[in-house]
Amino acid sequence: MLLFTLILFLSFTVSCSGNRSDRDILIQIDSLTYHNPDSAILCLTELSHTINNYSLDLQKYYQLLTIKANDKAFIRHTSDSLILSLLSFYENKKREPHLPEVYYYAGRVYADLYDAPKALDYFQKAAKSLNSTTNYKLLKVIHSQMGHLLLYQDVYNEAMESFKKAYQYDILEGDKEGGINDLCWIGETFTGYGNADSAMYYFQNAYKNAIKLNSKKHIDKTKIILYNKKDPNCRQSECSSP
């Protein structure tokens, strides 16, 4: 019923407004991916019957949204065939606004395929392509993902730099939940250094921010992290994930 209502609404707005287009439908679906990826997937599935009638540009945008929605829904990427097709298409276009996202999701695909060097390369390309922009939402996830890959390869200096950049973009974006998560990951990186005092400082700040935000989910998670970090051998991924 929710899907039918959404598709009906989108169809109605397109048919009743002369300046609406097929791209507007995809943009509406794109807006769902961050906070309601399951609904975005349902909408994309509904459009799959007619997507071949769209222009090539919109077909590629549809494919990008398919990767994006699945990623946000925590559906593991198992092949690089689609992202390679998108990379070939978007890299051959000049001043293409979707290219930074394509690079980012190439990184996510290769991270899922356990190819960390290739994933890091694409994350770096994504960050570089966003120079002089204010797309803080994308920048923060790029650097956070880089931090995760580097941390689990025990490359602590670079992981720390990535998580601190992600945290700064959280602040610029006004993403308080993301800020709590990245404070925890900074603390986790200090754990890798063996610097328990600095680690606890960041975990405690994350807990204080969770209280200020009045987010039970984040309060509970940071409390668990603080409790489990009494064991110096406990890694965040094994104890709790912020």
Side-chain angles (χ1 to χ4, degrees), residues 25 44 48 50 61 75 95 106 126 138 142-144 146 159 176 178 186 208 221 223 232:
I25 296 176
L44 290 166
S48 66
T50 58
Y61 184 25
I75 298 172
R95 298 180 181 178
L138 184 54
I142 289 169
H143 288 288
S144 184
M146 289 175 65
K176 295 180 180 180
I186 292 170
K208 290 175 183 176
K221 288 183 177 181
K223 281 175 70 175

Side-chain angles (χ1 to χ4, degrees), residues 1-15:
M1 184 64 183
L2 174 61
L3 172 62
F4 174 78
T5 302
L6 180 58
I7 294 295
L8 182 63
F9 169 74
L10 293 174
S11 300
F12 177 81
T13 55
V14 170
S15 63

Side-chain angles (χ1 to χ4, degrees), residues 116-165:
K118 192 171 284 188
L120 283 168
D121 181 56
Y122 279 115
F123 287 142
Q124 288 165 351
K125 285 183 177 181
K128 186 176 180 180
S129 68
L130 285 169
N131 280 343
S132 303
T133 71
T134 57
N135 190 345
Y136 304 132
K137 180 179 290 187
L138 184 54
L139 282 164
K140 68 182 180 182
V141 293
I142 289 169
H143 288 288
S144 184
Q145 288 296 319
M146 289 175 65
H148 295 157
L149 287 175
L150 292 162
L151 176 62
Y152 288 106
Q153 295 177 81
D154 298 331
V155 185
Y156 299 121
N157 287 340
E158 293 182 30
M160 181 70 74
E161 181 181 352
S162 294
F163 285 130
K164 286 187 174 181
K165 284 183 178 179

Side-chain angles (χ1 to χ4, degrees), residues 4-184:
F4 174 78
T5 302
L6 180 58
I7 294 295
L8 182 63
F9 169 74
L10 293 174
S11 300
F12 177 81
T13 55
V14 170
S15 63
C16 293
S17 177
N19 61 0
R20 302 289 292 184
S21 67
D22 293 334
R23 179 174 292 277
D24 290 307
I25 296 176
L26 295 179
I27 290 171
Q28 291 281 351
I29 295 172
D30 197 351
S31 69
L32 291 173
T33 55
Y34 275 96
H35 301 294
N36 203 343
D38 292 336
S39 293
I41 290 170
L42 288 173
C43 292
L44 290 166
T45 301
E46 183 72 16
L47 286 178
S48 66
H49 307 295
T50 58
I51 192 61
N52 288 335
N53 298 327
Y54 284 34
S55 68
L56 180 59
D57 276 358
L58 293 184
Q59 288 182 45
K60 292 300 180 181
Y61 184 25
Y62 172 91
Q63 292 170 3
L64 173 57
L65 291 182
T66 299
I67 291 177
K68 182 176 181 179
N70 285 336
D71 189 74
K72 297 304 181 186
F74 303 104
I75 298 172
R76 191 173 190 85
H77 305 290
T78 58
S79 169
D80 65 353
S81 58
L82 183 55
I83 197 64
L84 286 174
S85 173
L86 290 173
L87 284 165
S88 176
F89 178 77
Y90 283 111
E91 284 183 329
N92 287 323
K93 298 188 70 177
K94 294 181 179 179
R95 298 180 181 178
E96 173 48 56
H98 292 304
L99 186 57
E101 264 198 320
V102 174
Y103 283 143
Y104 170 73
Y105 285 106
R108 289 290 303 123
V109 168
Y110 285 111
D112 277 357
L113 295 176
Y114 302 106
D115 190 338
K118 192 171 284 188
L120 283 168
D121 181 56
Y122 279 115
F123 287 142
Q124 288 165 351
K125 285 183 177 181
K128 186 176 180 180
S129 68
L130 285 169
N131 280 343
S132 303
T133 71
T134 57
N135 190 345
Y136 304 132
K137 180 179 290 187
L138 184 54
L139 282 164
K140 68 182 180 182
V141 293
I142 289 169
H143 288 288
S144 184
Q145 288 296 319
M146 289 175 65
H148 295 157
L149 287 175
L150 292 162
L151 176 62
Y152 288 106
Q153 295 177 81
D154 298 331
V155 185
Y156 299 121
N157 287 340
E158 293 182 30
M160 181 70 74
E161 181 181 352
S162 294
F163 285 130
K164 286 187 174 181
K165 284 183 178 179
Y167 180 63
Q168 290 303 314
Y169 287 124
D170 288 325
I171 294 172
L172 290 170
E173 174 69 12
D175 182 358
K176 295 180 180 180
E177 291 190 358
I180 293 168
N181 293 341
D182 284 316
L183 283 172
C184 287

